[in-house]
Amino acid sequence: MIKILILGGTSEASALANAVAKRGIPAIFSYAGRVNTPKPQPLPTRIGGFGGVNGLVAFLAQERITHIVDATHPFAAQMSSNVLAAAAQCGVKATAFTRPAWQPVTGDQWQSVASIDEAVNALAGPPQRVLLAIGRIHLSAFADQPQHHYVLRLVDPPTSPLPLPDISAVIDRGPFTLEGDLALLKNQRIQRIVCKNAGGEGASSKLSAARRLGLPIVMIERPALPPRHEVHRIDDVFSWLSDHY
């Protein structure tokens, strides 16, 4: 019998979980545990890491998983690499349900960089009000540019001091709107944005808002991954399942 492991955390993963549940296909939804209040899913749900490739292999065997859909964030490179290694090791089929990357259009002022360190270096210069739309994990790196006031948009309120000397947090959960992001950028007097090229529609409104306001963006491009099978629509996921079952 088919049984799917959906590795989630994105809006696409949640939409897929609903589609899988409606079809009555046995599946497990997995969160990495990066937020305190993850969105409820219509499938049996686990939260937390697997303990590397070996832990994932053990989980796949224990739950008799036949197919993995990696719908994690495009920057969850370690998890995506582990999926490929574990699937190859135990003969499980795997695909990535991904968002196409954002591409600049007329009016955008992007400075594309390859890493967090390059993004930090790009902020050298006079003090500005900077929107850091990168999550919490890499915040401390920006302490190397302490002259700026950093504004964060977080899903959960911080439970410990944030690791930057001049910082404020806006608590909000996407998907976001153009009107809302225009208001955020204006109210916070943002002069520059740092974000990851996550792709998709749910977080793209800040790009349109920045374009309208003429704000520059430091765009961190996606990490390189080994070659893998990818799909971009829910229908493509089910076609892939049909082809491999």
Side-chain angles (χ1 to χ4, degrees), residues 28-242:
I28 296 173
F29 193 96
S30 178
Y31 278 115
R34 298 295 173 101
V35 297
N36 296 332
T37 55
K39 181 179 179 180
Q41 300 296 336
L43 297 171
T45 301
R46 68 176 299 281
I47 298 176
F50 293 95
V53 174
N54 291 338
L56 180 54
V57 167
F59 181 85
L60 298 176
Q62 174 186 325
E63 296 294 337
R64 299 184 179 180
I65 299 296
T66 60
H67 296 72
I68 307 175
V69 180
D70 178 3
T72 57
H73 192 277
F75 282 76
Q78 187 60 62
M79 185 70 247
S80 294
S81 295
N82 289 353
V83 166
L84 296 174
Q89 186 170 327
C90 55
V92 170
K93 301 297 183 183
T95 192
F97 183 23
T98 67
R99 314 163 177 175
W102 292 319
Q103 300 295 330
V105 300
T106 301
D108 284 334
Q109 301 178 47
W110 288 15
Q111 180 179 354
S112 292
V113 297
S115 65
I116 291 290
D117 287 344
E118 288 189 17
V120 172
N121 292 337
L123 295 183
Q128 291 185 312
R129 293 182 64 85
V130 179
L131 176 66
L132 281 185
I134 61 169
R136 300 188 192 194
I137 298 176
H138 301 290
L139 292 182
S140 60
F142 290 86
D144 286 349
Q145 301 288 356
Q147 70 274 30
H148 303 301
H149 176 81
Y150 294 101
V151 177
L152 311 181
R153 181 158 59 186
L154 302 174
V155 174
D156 298 309
T159 56
S160 58
L162 295 168
L164 292 171
D166 190 4
I167 191 168
S168 57
V170 176
I171 310 305
D172 200 0
R173 183 191 293 264
F176 304 107
T177 65
L178 173 59
E179 293 75 16
D181 279 357
L182 281 169
L184 171 70
L185 297 178
K186 290 177 181 178
N187 292 341
Q188 295 292 333
R189 307 189 311 281
I190 298 299
Q191 297 169 280
R192 186 177 293 193
I193 299 171
V194 179
C195 67
K196 297 177 178 179
N197 195 334
E201 297 299 322
S204 65
S205 56
K206 63 178 172 288
L207 309 182
S208 301
R211 187 182 310 123
R212 183 172 295 189
L213 297 175
L215 299 180
I217 296 177
V218 178
M219 182 66 72
I220 305 169
E221 300 299 346
R222 296 181 178 186
L225 287 170
R228 61 179 183 171
H229 185 270
E230 294 187 0
V231 294
H232 303 298
R233 302 181 306 153
I234 288 178
D235 287 347
D236 296 334
V237 175
F238 288 111
S239 294
W240 170 78
L241 289 169
S242 297

